[in-house]
């Protein structure tokens, strides 16, 4: 709570970003839920900082599923706030850069294919390729890594 209050009241962009990095590294569901609830409140989190919060939560293995769900649940808000902006596709990039299971790939495909947004077609395809490449790497290397780690 102290870090959140420091973030909300901080005017230094670099310090806000550092605080955001610390906050989004959380492992606790309550904290993850609080951050995801706050990102749509521009009195708490500036719209230009939402990308950091969602990206870093999506990169956090404890928060990835919730961040991905937030992107899908909040798509109308994302479109309203960022739809006419050059950074509109950032949320597609965040998903493409963080998802790492076959189920998440299917969710990604189902969600973005259902939107039919021509302006996002290219970035959706790139995200799909990123996820597929990551899955291929995991599937190829996980048995060897697991074996090596169990030998330690």
């Amino acid at each position: 709570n102290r870090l959140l209050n420091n973030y909300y009241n901080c005017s230094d962009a670099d310090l806000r970003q550092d605080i955001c990095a610390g906050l989004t590294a959380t492992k606790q569901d309550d904290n993850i839920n609080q951050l995801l609830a706050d990102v749509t409140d521009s009195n708490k989190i500036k719209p230009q900082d939402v990308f950091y919060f969602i990206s870093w939560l999506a990169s956090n293995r404890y928060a990835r599923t919730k961040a991905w769900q937030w992107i899908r649940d909040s798509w109308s808000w994302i479109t309203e706030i960022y739809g006419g902006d050059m950074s509109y596709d950032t949320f597609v990039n965040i998903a493409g850069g963080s998802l790492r299971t076959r189920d998440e790939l299917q969710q990604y495909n189902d969600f973005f294919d259902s939107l039919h947004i021509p302006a996002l077609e290219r970035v959706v395809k790139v995200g799909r390729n990123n996820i597929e490449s990551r899955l291929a790497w995991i599937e190829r290397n996980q048995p060897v890594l697991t074996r090596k780690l169990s030998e330690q």
Side-chain angles (χ1 to χ4, degrees):
N1 286 333
R2 192 173 92 239
L3 272 179
L4 273 176
N5 286 330
N6 286 342
Y7 174 86
Y8 298 150
N9 297 308
C10 183
S11 60
D12 181 312
D14 291 330
L15 182 53
R16 254 194 346 264
Q17 195 171 21
D18 289 345
I19 294 169
C20 175
L23 287 166
T24 57
T26 186
K27 297 176 183 179
Q28 298 172 340
D29 277 344
D30 290 345
N31 293 340
I32 294 165
N33 294 337
Q34 173 78 49
L35 293 172
L36 290 171
D38 286 355
V39 292
T40 57
D41 184 345
S42 61
N43 293 318
K44 293 181 177 182
I45 297 175
K46 296 181 183 319
Q48 67 266 25
D49 290 350
V50 170
F51 304 114
Y52 297 119
F53 278 88
I54 299 304
S55 181
W56 290 341
L57 286 169
S59 297
N60 174 343
R61 69 181 174 142
Y62 300 99
R64 182 181 72 239
T65 301
K66 288 183 180 211
W68 169 226
Q69 188 64 53
W70 181 90
I71 290 171
R72 289 177 288 165
D73 291 345
S74 303
W75 194 258
S76 60
W77 179 85
I78 290 168
T79 300
E80 179 184 330
I81 301 300
Y82 304 101
D85 194 286
M86 287 178 38
S87 51
Y88 182 42
D89 63 0
T90 301
F91 294 96
V92 181
N93 286 325
I94 290 169
S98 63
L99 302 179
R100 56 193 69 244
T101 68
R102 289 269 165 216
D103 186 48
E104 289 171 339
L105 172 61
Q106 187 61 52
Q107 292 169 12
Y108 178 94
N109 289 335
D110 292 346
F111 179 72
F112 287 113
D113 289 348
S114 73
L115 295 178
H116 305 292
I117 302 173
L120 296 179
E121 283 179 9
R122 184 187 152 289
V123 73
V124 167
K125 184 177 179 180
V126 168
R128 182 177 294 120
N129 289 339
N130 284 343
I131 298 167
E132 289 171 349
S133 297
R134 186 175 311 102
L135 284 169
W137 186 91
I138 290 168
E139 290 165 357
R140 181 180 63 245
N141 293 301
Q142 188 171 22
V144 173
L145 290 171
T146 301
R147 188 177 68 247
K148 289 288 186 187
L149 289 171
S150 66
E151 293 171 2
Q152 298 293 326

